[in-house]
């Protein structure tokens, strides 16, 4: 694999210049539905924090809908976010890090983290670890009763509320910030574009410009915002989306496969898009148009990938057009492989 440079695309990490240029043109031609980019960015965090007291939150399992799954959140001196399987004796905590990504799923797209034993894994972690990039908690220990986390009815709202109710404790370790050395771009599997620019000199902003484009009720949606408390809280309540056809397949043929047999998706916890209209009520409506799919993608999926940069917080400018978990993880891997991260 080679790294190439192309006008307007920066260093191309994956994909052809021609296909990427077409994706960039399609992205730029998409009208902006909601623009919060003029907001003030999240304030600089000088010293690392953990939560002040333990809290827990429960809901039906994502992959075991008939079982209640619980997350126990505890303060820790360990640097970063950690997941610990309490149902596996003597299991070591799994650090939230690109080094511990096992897979991004096959039937159900999701980020799976694993460390050590093949049994010591946690599935669908993205809606949990996105909080690491979007909130002010840098150190956290999350104990689980299985490798299957709970699935909430409103994105990660209950988890955000639990962390906020726990208060904060300053650890004292300086918080580090990272950005890319130069513009980089990568082609997504559906001929989309993931492009990252460095933060402006002296700036700790994280700006995101995200487009979803589906041939169904979701259609084209574009949101632009700076990561701060308002945008994160707004996006953290957005549900993942699926198509009515995929929902039908999961509840029929999906029963033949362990990965989807007991999948807990229902009309409350996911947005179901038919060809011309939604099967359930969409949220995040702006000027008569639901932007729930774009907000979920930008906050609970894309920020989760940035949380895999475990040395500190990421700042810069991100363009996301028709992205997904696989290209997100691939981008972070390549940033490390080509030594393209630099501390601000």
């Amino acid at each position: 694999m080679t790294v190439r440079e192309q006008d307007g695309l920066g260093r191309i990490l994956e994909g052809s210049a021609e296909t990427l240029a077409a994706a960039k043109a399609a992205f730029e031609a998409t009208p902006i539905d909601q623009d919060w980019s003029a907001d003030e960015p999240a304030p600089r965090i000088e010293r690392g924090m953990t939560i002040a007291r333990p809290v827990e939150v429960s809901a039906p399992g994502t992959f075991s809908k008939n079982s209640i799954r619980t997350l126990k959140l505890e303060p820790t001196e360990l640097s970063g976010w950690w997941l610990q399987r309490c149902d596996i004796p003597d299991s070591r905590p799994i650090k939230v890090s690109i080094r511990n990504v096992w897979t991004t799923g096959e039937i159900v797209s999701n980020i799976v983290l694993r460390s050590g034993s093949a049994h010591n894994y946690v599935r669908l972690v993205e809606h949990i670890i996105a909080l690491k990039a979007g909130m002010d908690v840098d150190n956290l220990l999350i104990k689980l009763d299985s490798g299957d986390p709970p699935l909430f009815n409103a994105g990660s709202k209950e988890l955000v509320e639990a962390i906020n109710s726990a208060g904060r404790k300053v650890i004292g370790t300086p918080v580090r910030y990272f950005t890319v050395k130069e513009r980089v771009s990568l082609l997504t599997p559906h001929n989309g574009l993931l492009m990252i620019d460095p933060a402006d000199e002296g700036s700790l902003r994280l700006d995101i410009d995200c487009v979803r484009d589906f041939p169904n009720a979701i259609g084209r949606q574009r949101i632009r915002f700076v990561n701060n408390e308002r945008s994160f809280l707004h996006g953290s309540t957005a549900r993942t989306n699926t198509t009515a056809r995929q929902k039908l397949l999961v509840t029929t043929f999906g029963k033949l496969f362990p990965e989807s047999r007991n999948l807990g998706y229902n009309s409350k916890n996911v947005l179901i898009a038919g060809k011309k209209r939604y099967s359930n009520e969409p949220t995040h409506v702006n000027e008569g148009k639901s932007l729930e799919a774009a907000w979920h993608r930008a906050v609970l999926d894309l920020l989760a990938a940035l949380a895999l940069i475990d040395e500190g917080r990421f700042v810069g400018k991100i363009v996301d057009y028709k992205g997904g978990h696989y290209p997100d993880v691939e981008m972070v891997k390549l940033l490390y492989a080509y030594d393209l991260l630099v501390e601000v």
Side-chain angles (χ1 to χ4, degrees):
M1 184 188 302
T2 59
V3 179
R4 306 177 304 283
E5 294 186 11
Q6 186 77 15
D7 289 344
L9 296 169
R11 300 192 97 185
I12 298 175
L13 303 183
E14 276 191 7
S16 71
E18 294 75 18
T19 309
L20 280 165
K24 187 169 182 286
F27 161 79
E28 291 171 344
T30 305
I32 300 170
D33 295 300
Q34 195 165 24
D35 191 348
W36 288 0
S37 60
D39 283 8
E40 288 296 315
R44 180 188 182 111
I45 302 173
E46 297 285 353
R47 298 287 173 177
M49 289 187 284
T50 187
I51 55 176
R53 62 180 181 84
V55 289
E56 61 180 63
V57 60
S58 302
T62 302
F63 295 94
S64 51
K65 60 185 178 182
N66 297 319
S67 299
I68 297 298
R69 300 303 188 195
T70 299
L71 300 178
K72 296 181 179 180
L73 315 176
E74 299 183 358
T76 181
E77 296 290 330
L78 293 172
S79 177
W81 280 39
W82 301 78
L83 305 166
Q84 184 168 21
R85 291 275 301 267
C86 296
D87 60 317
I88 302 177
D90 302 319
S91 66
R92 296 181 61 84
I94 307 166
K95 188 171 189 181
V96 175
S97 169
I98 190 64
R99 299 165 183 83
N100 289 327
V101 175
W102 187 14
T103 178
T104 51
E106 294 180 6
I107 297 176
V108 179
S109 178
N110 69 110
I111 298 176
V112 184
L113 296 181
R114 188 192 83 178
S115 181
S117 165
H119 301 287
N120 189 32
Y121 65 85
V122 181
R123 304 165 76 176
L124 207 135
V125 300
E126 56 269 18
H127 303 163
I128 301 172
I129 68 174
L131 278 61
K132 174 178 178 284
M135 300 184 74
D136 59 355
V137 176
D138 293 279
N139 290 10
L140 187 66
L141 176 62
I142 304 172
K143 293 183 177 179
L144 306 95
D145 49 12
S146 79
D148 172 32
L151 183 62
F152 304 108
N153 284 342
S156 293
K157 179 183 177 183
E158 292 179 50
L159 188 54
V160 171
E161 291 174 345
I163 290 179
N164 280 336
S165 73
R168 301 291 183 268
K169 174 185 174 183
V170 177
I171 297 169
T173 306
V175 176
R176 303 169 69 192
Y177 288 83
F178 292 84
T179 192
V180 289
K181 295 178 180 178
E182 59 187 298
R183 172 176 284 186
V184 295
S185 59
L186 176 149
L187 186 70
T188 75
H190 299 288
N191 290 330
L193 168 70
L194 183 57
M195 185 169 69
I196 307 180
D197 278 317
D200 292 334
E201 187 172 353
S203 170
L204 293 179
R205 291 175 61 100
L206 172 57
D207 290 286
I208 296 176
D209 197 336
C210 174
V211 172
R212 303 307 278 156
D213 188 355
F214 291 98
N216 55 30
I218 292 173
R220 282 194 173 192
Q221 303 177 8
R222 182 176 177 184
I223 58 173
R224 188 163 64 181
F225 63 94
V226 59
N227 185 44
N228 59 18
E229 184 177 21
R230 178 169 86 130
S231 61
F232 181 76
L233 290 178
H234 186 67
S236 69
T237 63
R239 298 163 296 177
T240 191
N241 57 82
T242 188
T243 65
R245 180 174 179 273
Q246 287 171 327
K247 180 78 163 49
L248 177 64
L249 289 174
V250 164
T251 56
T252 54
F253 294 108
K255 293 186 179 295
L256 300 174
F257 304 97
E259 186 175 349
S260 56
R261 184 175 298 141
N262 295 304
L263 190 65
Y265 287 176
N266 58 50
S267 60
K268 292 182 178 179
N269 57 36
V270 297
L271 177 63
I272 306 169
K275 192 162 184 64
K276 294 185 178 180
R277 58 181 175 268
Y278 295 103
S279 300
N280 54 355
E281 191 69 25
T283 63
H284 296 69
V285 176
N286 182 64
E287 296 183 358
K289 179 178 181 179
S290 171
L291 304 174
E292 186 174 6
W295 277 108
H296 179 90
R297 165 63 191 157
V299 171
L300 291 182
D301 288 352
L302 195 55
L303 288 187
L306 300 181
L308 297 171
I309 300 173
D310 59 44
E311 295 90 351
R313 294 179 169 270
F314 185 83
V315 292
K317 305 169 188 176
I318 300 178
V319 163
D320 176 60
Y321 174 61
K322 298 170 71 172
H325 292 310
Y326 173 77
D328 292 347
V329 169
E330 190 69 8
M331 172 65 87
V332 177
K333 286 181 179 178
L334 293 173
L335 293 181
Y336 279 100
Y338 292 119
D339 190 29
L340 290 168
L341 290 170
V342 60
E343 188 164 2
V344 178

